[in-house]
Amino acid sequence: MNNEFDEVGPIDYLVVEFPADRQPDGSALPMLRDLVDNGIIRVLDLVFVRKDTDGSLAGIAIDDLGLEGGIDVTLFAEASSGLVNPSDVEEAGAILEPGCSGAILVYENLWAAPFATALRRGGAQLVASGRIPLQGIMAALDSLDADS
């Protein structure tokens, strides 16, 4: 692998749903900005969508969200690598409840790039990845407490 992707960290995505009765207010964006500023992640794509009550999807420009607190959204408004395509937006929108808005975030884990690069140079490849939902962790801890 001798190309521009030799030293790329793992790339993840997440879809966040905002309740129908609350517009995204941007309160989490400063924390996201800190992750970027501290070299932990690189935001590749950030897409906002709204799912109308009839199930139709519409994109929302971050500038049109009316975020509070004077947040500089330049970094996020420019985050468009092209990795998120219309079918990805449709797929993410399918899991949103009608009337809700959502955000699709694609990011590179910069903190893991040196480790991933070393593994690739040694011929290793990632064959599985996943996340343990918080609910699963809580249930496992509760089970351990019940067994004690």
Side-chain angles (χ1 to χ4, degrees):
M1 224 172 120
N2 288 324
N3 60 38
E4 64 186 279
F5 297 107
D6 275 353
E7 298 186 20
V8 171
I11 296 175
D12 288 330
Y13 76 93
L14 52 92
V15 178
V16 177
E17 179 181 78
F18 299 98
D21 63 345
R22 282 188 263 160
Q23 173 96 358
D25 64 4
S27 59
L29 289 178
M31 277 59 87
L32 185 60
R33 181 68 194 227
D34 284 346
L35 292 171
V36 171
D37 290 346
N38 288 314
I40 297 169
I41 68 166
R42 177 170 54 131
V43 174
L44 300 173
D45 288 286
L46 181 58
V47 178
F48 288 90
V49 295
R50 173 148 183 83
K51 186 172 186 175
D52 291 327
T53 53
D54 67 1
S56 62
L57 286 176
I60 307 170
I62 193 169
D63 297 332
D64 295 338
L65 288 173
L67 302 177
E68 300 170 0
I71 299 164
D72 179 9
V73 297
T74 306
L75 166 74
F76 306 114
E78 295 172 352
S80 180
S81 71
L83 289 174
V84 176
N85 62 42
S87 66
D88 296 324
V89 173
E90 289 290 326
E91 190 174 325
I95 60 176
L96 297 176
E97 291 293 323
C100 293
S101 55
I104 305 162
L105 174 65
V106 178
Y107 58 97
E108 176 188 0
N109 291 283
L110 294 174
W111 62 270
F115 176 64
T117 299
L119 289 172
R120 283 191 297 269
R121 287 188 179 142
Q125 64 181 349
L126 181 64
V127 295
S129 180
R131 295 281 158 99
I132 302 171
L134 181 58
Q135 296 85 344
I137 294 170
M138 300 292 285
L141 292 175
D142 287 345
S143 176
L144 288 173
D145 284 346
D147 291 342
S148 300

